């Protein structure tokens, strides 16, 4: 079959497809037809009399390689029988299985799945008598994750813990011992895990040049997709398989390298021309996804990158409106503005073609509440829905009992947090409490020492007629040590989710109203088609996807970029790439939301937020800048009100009329709006927390300890009753004295 390459491809794609011999790096900008280029090059190679058996296509998913080979076969009019396509791991497994003896597995090798790895680590942990009786000891899954990250990033376990799980540093010696014993056990039993496949293949090729040379003869043409996502060992494998001057084609986009947490190294693609001498560099810059105004903004985002391949995306499509940068009054009114934007966009696009993106899963909690109240269905990717998260359910049960002392389900969950209390025991304790059986309660109190304190706290919450924010604050204070105990592996991340819940609570006057809104079923029903729901997604989960309209939220420092990323330049560079990926998901419309203030529950006040540097550096010419008014509308800098989104808060949250409305309660005009502008924050006197070991924190400035943030250094005193404290990993916090323990 004759293929008209010039008609099917643009000039840059054609240049890449026609290049046959020698190394080549194809920098494929977002939406530039990367897959199409690979597919046509596969067809071109076969058309140039290269046997499919001499082609090795390495991808990051099996599905991707199968799709590319199938599409190339369709173009050719015949299948590419014999071509090797698959992941790095599947290719490595095939080679190692054929050369098990040379690889050091004379009896053959057995590949373990993730469950097998965790089981083996569990057996070793028990054999070494590690963590016996320690409820905070890392779970097997966390141990496996830490060891895997250490291997994939080729960094010591201590470095991994220090940067990504500082709360587990006290277990460093144990994890290092387990990792050592884990390697010995695998070797003695002829076992390999997924990480061993890559390092095992590398060792085989280095120690047995004859096998390496045989593979080079078998696969003189190597193609690697998503090269920006390769880790160190994968890049070394490509060099071993192709040689420094071989026919290797690497395709990827340095600006979309966002998986450093998995071990991806952006330097692999940036240094490709230096490693493969004489490599041809081709840039795919024609974008088939987005309109030019969106690309103008993304080009500006990339221009600030320190290390990059210069490229300038331009649109294949004409027209398009400028992206909008909207500064909302607060992180709470941001949710209301997002709902307004979705309602507006829904007049032009189906709901499933509208996406709201965020840096971390917990950042969508206020929006999930707002969408539920407005009757808008949604689907979430990356992180769980807030009302499905275990720690959110835990702390809400405190408030459920404050509102309804007879809530047996809430009793079962709260009592189950105590050490040694199971479901049956929790039911007995609750029944005795409701029946006023003092002797039975005394009996349980002797058996479970933490029970009296919990009951006293719950009774205090029930008796105090607090606003939800104050009640939640007290509940979270009591729950903090239980959070660490119940979820020792990731409690810092869960704590961030609880902080978002506290921000939602400030807009409610009663606990009953707060709980009612949270419990209105926001989960998808069985008959709810995915095509009838707004998409909520983390940016990482959104990579490779696209929508007609995209809204980015929480574009302020410490949220996007994340707090951890702001401590290291290389991490900030990845955050910039993450911003680029987020913006390039949009086809027709893009809106960036920047809250002006953030609620700090420790201070019981709003604090100014610093806009994300990626937003601050954007020139006015690439976006329309809008600010939220105190009436909930939006205005441009020149004071002209927007006609479409200039509704008041009550109108903005009216039910959205859709062709097929969801069967759930909708927000009605006149109901309480969730906008912070419409529901000003009221000061309250927080209930006194349980007495700590420090009755008076007015002594000398120095080290202190907080139940949630751990040890920190007191920087200054803020009269009359607060300290400014620097907590490693969390940064500066202002904390009420009675919540601190001096060291």
């Amino acid at each position: 079959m004759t293929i008209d390459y010039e008609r099917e491809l643009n000039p840059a794609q054609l240049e890449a497809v026609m290049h046959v011999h020698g190394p080549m790096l194809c920098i494929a900008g977002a939406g530039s037809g990367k897959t199409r280029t690979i597919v046509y090059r596969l067809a071109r190679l076969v058309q140039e009399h290269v046997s499919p058996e001499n082609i090795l296509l390495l991808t990051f998913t099996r599905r991707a390689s199968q799709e590319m080979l199938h599409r190339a076969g369709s173009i050719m009019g015949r299948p590419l029988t014999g071509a090797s396509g698959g992941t790095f791991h599947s290719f490595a497994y095939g080679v190692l299985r054929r050369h098990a003896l040379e690889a050091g597995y004379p009896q053959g090798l057995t590949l373990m799945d993730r469950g097998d790895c965790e089981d083996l680590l569990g057996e070793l942990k028990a054999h070494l008598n590690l963590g016996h009786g320690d409820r905070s000891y890392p779970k097997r899954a966390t141990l496996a994750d830490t060891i895997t990250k250490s291997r994939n990033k080729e960094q010591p376990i201590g470095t991994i813990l220090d940067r990504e799980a500082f709360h587990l540093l006290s277990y460093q010696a144990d994890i290092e011992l387990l990792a050592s014993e884990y390697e010995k056990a695998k070797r003695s039993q002829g076992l390999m895990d997924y990480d061993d496949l890559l390092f095992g293949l590398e060792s085989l090729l280095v120690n047995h040049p004859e096998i390496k040379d045989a593979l080079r003869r078998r696969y003189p043409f190597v193609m690697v997709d998503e090269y920006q996502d390769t880790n160190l060992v994968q890049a070394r494998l490509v060099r071993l398989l192709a040689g420094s001057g071989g026919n290797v084609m690497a395709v990827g986009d340095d600006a979309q390298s966002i998986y450093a947490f998995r071990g991806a190294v952006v330097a692999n693609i940036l240094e490709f021309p230096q490693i493969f001498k004489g490599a041809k560099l081709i840039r795919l810059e024609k974008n088939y996804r987005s309109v030019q105004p969106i690309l103008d903004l993304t080009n500006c985002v990339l221009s600030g990158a320190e290390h990059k391949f210069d490229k300038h995306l331009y649109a294949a499509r004409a027209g398009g409106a400028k992206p909008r940068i909207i500064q909302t009054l607060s992180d709470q009114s941001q949710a209301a503005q997002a709902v307004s934007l979705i309602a507006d966009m829904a007049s032009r696009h189906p709901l499933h073609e509208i996406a709201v993106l965020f840096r971390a899963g917990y950042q969508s909690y206020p929006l999930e509440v707002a969408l539920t109240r407005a009757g808008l269905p949604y689907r979430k990717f990356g992180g769980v829905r807030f009302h499905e998260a275990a720690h959110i359910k835990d702390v809400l049960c405190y408030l459920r009992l404050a509102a309804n002392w007879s809530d047996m389900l809430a009793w079962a969950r709260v009592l189950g947090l105590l050490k040694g209390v199971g479901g049956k025991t929790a039911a007995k304790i609750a029944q005795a409490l409701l029946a006023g059986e003092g002797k039975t309660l005394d009996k349980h109190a002797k058996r479970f020492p933490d029970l009296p304190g919990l009951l006293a706290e719950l009774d205090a919450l029930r008796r105090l007629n607090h606003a939800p924010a104050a009640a939640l604050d007290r509940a979270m204070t009591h729950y903090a040590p239980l959070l660490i105990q119940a979820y020792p592996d990731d409690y810092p991340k869960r704590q961030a989710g609880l902080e978002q819940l506290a921000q939602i609570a400030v807009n409610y006057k009663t606990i009953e109203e707060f709980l009612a809104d949270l419990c209105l079923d926001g989960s998808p029903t069985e008959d709810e088609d995915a095509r009838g729901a707004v998409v909520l997604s983390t940016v990482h989960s959104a990579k490779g996807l696209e929508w007609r309209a995209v809204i980015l939220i929480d574009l302020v420092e410490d949220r996007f970029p994340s707090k951890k990323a702001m401590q290291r330049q290389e991490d900030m560079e990845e955050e910039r790439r993450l911003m680029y990926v987020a913006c390039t998901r949009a086809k027709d419309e893009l809106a960036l939301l920047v809250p002006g203030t953030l609620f700090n529950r420790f201070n019981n006040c709003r604090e100014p937020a610093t806009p994300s540097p990626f937003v601050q550096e954007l020139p006015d010419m690439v976006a329309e800048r809008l600010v939220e008014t105190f009436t909930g509308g939006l205005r441009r800098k020149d004071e002209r009100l927007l006609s479409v989104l200039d509704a008041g808060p009550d109108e903005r949250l009216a039910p959205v009329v859709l062709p097929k409305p969801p069967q759930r309660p909708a927000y009605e005009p006149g109901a309480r709006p969730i906008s912070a502008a419409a529901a000003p924050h009221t000061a309250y006197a927080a209930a006194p927390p349980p007495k700590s070991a420090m009755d008076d924190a007015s002594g000398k400035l120095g080290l202190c300890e907080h139940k949630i943030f751990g040890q920190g250094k007191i920087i200054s005193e803020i009269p009359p009753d607060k300290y400014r404290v620097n907590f490693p990993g969390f940064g500066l916090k202002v904390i009420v004295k009675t919540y601190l323990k001096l060291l």
Side-chain angles (χ1 to χ4, degrees):
M1 179 183 292
T2 302
I3 303 173
D4 189 346
Y5 292 100
E6 292 187 4
R7 184 176 69 87
E8 297 294 334
L9 304 167
N10 67 40
Q13 292 172 335
L14 181 64
E15 184 181 8
V17 167
M18 292 301 169
H19 182 86
V20 176
H21 298 287
M24 172 175 60
L25 174 61
C26 185
I27 298 297
S32 62
K34 167 182 69 73
T35 300
R36 185 180 186 85
T37 303
I38 295 174
V39 166
Y40 273 86
R41 187 171 190 266
L42 284 169
R44 167 72 176 167
L45 288 176
V46 176
Q47 194 178 55
E48 288 294 303
H49 308 296
V50 173
S51 170
E53 295 182 353
N54 294 140
I55 300 173
L56 173 61
L57 173 63
L58 295 173
T59 61
F60 276 82
T61 66
R62 181 185 175 195
R63 180 180 176 181
S65 61
Q66 289 179 332
E67 178 187 348
M68 291 176 185
L69 291 172
H70 174 74
R71 285 177 58 180
S74 297
I75 293 171
M76 295 289 296
R78 59 186 175 87
L80 269 65
T81 305
S84 296
T87 65
F88 278 89
H89 292 87
S90 63
F91 175 73
Y93 179 60
V95 174
L96 289 169
R97 190 177 55 182
R98 292 193 299 272
H99 299 282
L101 180 63
E102 294 91 337
Y105 294 87
Q107 305 301 320
L109 59 89
T110 300
L111 182 62
M112 300 189 297
D113 61 20
R114 178 54 184 256
D116 295 329
C117 299
E118 292 181 13
D119 289 342
L120 180 55
L121 284 168
E123 292 174 8
L124 292 171
K125 174 174 166 287
H127 176 71
L128 296 169
N129 196 29
L130 298 176
H132 182 68
D134 182 357
R135 295 189 66 182
S136 298
Y137 203 85
K139 297 175 183 177
R140 292 183 298 179
T142 300
L143 294 171
D145 283 341
T146 304
I147 293 171
T148 291
K149 284 185 177 181
S150 175
R151 296 204 70 194
N152 280 328
K153 295 188 175 185
E154 300 185 34
Q155 295 175 351
I157 284 174
T159 301
I160 299 296
L161 294 177
D162 184 55
R163 292 182 179 178
E164 303 181 30
F166 59 89
H167 57 291
L168 298 179
L169 274 171
S170 59
Y171 299 105
Q172 177 180 338
D174 282 12
I175 300 175
E176 289 172 343
L177 175 60
L178 274 171
S180 175
E181 293 300 314
Y182 177 64
E183 291 301 316
K184 294 177 184 177
K186 287 187 297 180
R187 176 63 65 174
S188 66
Q189 299 176 45
L191 303 173
M192 297 189 87
D193 61 22
Y194 274 45
D195 301 324
D196 294 326
L197 292 174
L198 301 182
F199 290 101
L201 177 59
E202 180 186 29
S203 178
L204 178 69
L205 299 183
V206 169
N207 295 325
H208 295 274
E210 71 282 4
I211 297 177
K212 177 188 68 177
D213 293 340
L215 286 174
R216 287 184 178 180
R217 290 192 297 271
R218 168 70 189 276
Y219 301 112
F221 293 91
V222 178
M223 300 172 67
V224 187
D225 186 25
E226 303 285 11
Y227 200 77
Q228 78 279 352
D229 293 336
T230 55
N231 62 17
L232 291 171
V233 66
Q234 287 167 332
R236 294 196 297 269
L237 285 173
V238 172
R239 294 200 294 272
L240 286 167
L241 290 168
S244 60
N247 302 318
V248 56
M249 176 189 188
V251 183
D253 184 4
D254 56 298
Q256 296 188 68
S257 180
I258 61 173
Y259 294 120
F261 66 95
R262 295 181 187 169
V265 179
V266 69
N268 288 344
I269 192 169
L270 292 174
E271 296 172 1
F272 187 95
Q274 288 73 49
I275 294 170
F276 294 92
K277 303 298 182 182
K280 187 176 186 64
L281 178 62
I282 297 174
R283 295 175 174 85
L284 304 185
E285 298 174 304
K286 188 173 184 178
N287 179 285
Y288 294 90
R289 176 187 301 155
S290 307
V291 293
Q292 190 60 48
I294 292 176
L295 297 181
D296 289 339
L297 185 145
T298 59
N299 286 333
C300 286
V301 170
L302 278 190
S303 67
E306 187 174 346
H307 304 290
K308 64 181 185 296
F309 285 108
D310 289 326
K311 58 178 172 291
H312 186 84
L313 299 182
Y314 62 95
R317 302 166 54 202
K322 280 186 178 182
R324 288 174 279 183
I325 299 176
I326 303 172
Q327 180 165 326
T328 65
L329 293 171
S330 69
D331 46 358
Q332 291 302 298
S333 64
Q334 172 184 245
Q337 288 295 344
V339 170
S340 293
L341 284 169
I342 292 168
D344 174 43
M345 292 169 172
S347 65
R348 297 181 293 279
H349 314 294
L351 275 183
H352 71 277
E353 283 286 0
I354 302 171
V356 182
L357 306 183
F358 32 85
R359 178 66 179 80
Y362 68 83
Q363 291 174 321
S364 68
Y365 290 175
L367 178 58
E368 292 177 51
V369 176
L371 287 170
T372 300
R373 295 181 64 202
L376 282 169
Y378 66 90
R379 302 172 70 224
K380 185 174 181 179
F381 302 94
V384 297
R385 291 169 174 246
F386 77 95
H387 59 274
E388 296 173 354
H391 54 294
I392 299 294
K393 289 183 177 180
D394 289 346
V395 79
L396 285 180
C397 280
Y398 280 77
L399 271 63
R400 285 173 58 177
L401 290 171
N404 178 11
W405 197 247
S406 301
D407 188 339
M408 292 298 292
L409 291 176
W411 275 117
R413 190 169 193 101
V414 172
L415 291 169
L417 294 170
L418 299 180
K419 184 177 181 180
V421 176
K424 292 182 179 179
T425 303
K428 290 179 181 178
I429 295 173
Q431 289 168 2
L433 187 70
L434 295 176
E437 299 174 2
K439 290 184 179 179
T440 304
L441 286 174
D442 290 342
K443 180 181 177 181
H444 286 301
K446 291 179 181 179
R447 185 180 174 190
F448 306 109
D450 295 332
L451 177 60
L454 174 62
L455 295 180
E457 185 65 25
L458 292 171
D459 189 54
L461 282 174
R462 179 171 68 111
R463 294 176 185 277
L464 293 172
N465 187 24
H466 272 324
L472 186 63
D473 182 77
R474 177 160 186 156
M476 287 170 58
T477 300
H478 183 272
Y479 177 66
L482 297 176
L483 173 73
I484 297 173
Q485 177 180 291
Y487 311 102
D489 297 30
D490 62 352
Y491 69 83
K493 184 186 299 184
R494 293 177 185 268
Q495 177 60 34
L498 290 175
E499 295 299 331
Q500 286 291 81
L501 185 66
Q503 292 165 17
I504 297 172
V506 299
N507 290 311
Y508 291 83
K509 294 180 180 179
T510 69
I511 292 175
E512 289 79 8
E513 290 176 333
F514 178 56
L515 292 174
D517 266 6
L518 297 188
C519 294
L520 285 175
D521 188 3
S523 302
T525 56
E526 291 184 3
D527 62 345
E528 191 171 274
D529 192 327
R531 297 180 66 83
V534 177
V535 176
L536 308 185
S537 176
T538 61
V539 182
H540 283 102
S541 297
K543 186 174 182 292
L545 303 176
E546 57 186 39
W547 296 274
R548 288 290 177 186
V550 170
I551 302 168
L552 269 67
I553 63 172
D554 270 352
L555 287 169
V556 294
E557 288 187 0
D558 289 353
R559 294 192 179 180
F560 200 156
S562 69
K563 183 177 299 184
K564 287 184 179 179
M566 296 183 70
Q567 300 173 12
R568 298 201 314 159
Q569 181 59 34
E570 62 190 84
D571 292 339
M572 279 294 288
E573 286 289 292
E574 177 151 328
E575 293 289 304
R576 180 182 296 279
R577 297 193 292 270
L578 199 61
M579 177 75 173
Y580 166 81
V581 168
C583 294
T584 53
R585 300 310 95 197
K587 297 179 181 179
D588 301 330
E589 297 186 58
L590 175 64
L592 312 180
L593 269 56
V594 185
T597 61
L598 305 177
F599 181 71
N600 186 326
R601 78 177 184 90
F602 296 105
N603 294 347
N604 187 31
C605 66
R606 292 209 163 271
E607 298 178 343
T610 303
S612 169
F614 311 134
V615 172
Q616 291 192 67
E617 66 190 26
L618 292 174
D620 289 340
M621 68 182 69
V622 301
E624 182 181 23
R625 294 184 182 269
L626 309 165
V627 295
E628 182 182 24
T629 67
F630 283 101
T631 60
L634 295 177
R635 65 173 174 80
R636 298 187 180 91
K637 285 187 175 182
D638 60 5
E639 304 295 327
R640 287 180 298 145
L641 290 176
L642 274 177
S643 57
V644 176
L645 296 177
D646 191 29
D650 288 347
E651 297 170 280
R652 291 203 325 273
L653 288 182
V656 179
V657 180
L658 300 171
K660 198 173 181 181
Q663 300 300 311
R664 64 185 62 198
Y667 182 83
E668 297 179 359
R672 186 188 69 260
I674 69 167
S675 168
H681 306 293
T682 57
Y684 60 82
K691 206 170 182 73
S692 70
M694 182 187 70
D695 296 324
D696 181 12
S698 59
K700 294 181 179 179
L701 302 184
L703 297 179
C704 63
E705 186 173 45
H706 186 271
K707 287 182 178 180
I708 296 170
F709 303 119
Q711 290 189 11
K713 183 177 181 181
I714 299 175
I715 303 301
S716 61
E717 183 176 4
I718 303 176
D721 62 347
K722 298 181 180 70
Y723 280 137
R724 179 173 282 106
V725 185
N726 185 21
F727 294 100
F730 290 98
L732 289 175
K733 299 285 182 183
V734 176
I735 308 291
V736 176
K737 291 178 181 179
T738 50
Y739 285 86
L740 295 172
K741 177 181 178 182
L742 292 182
L743 300 178

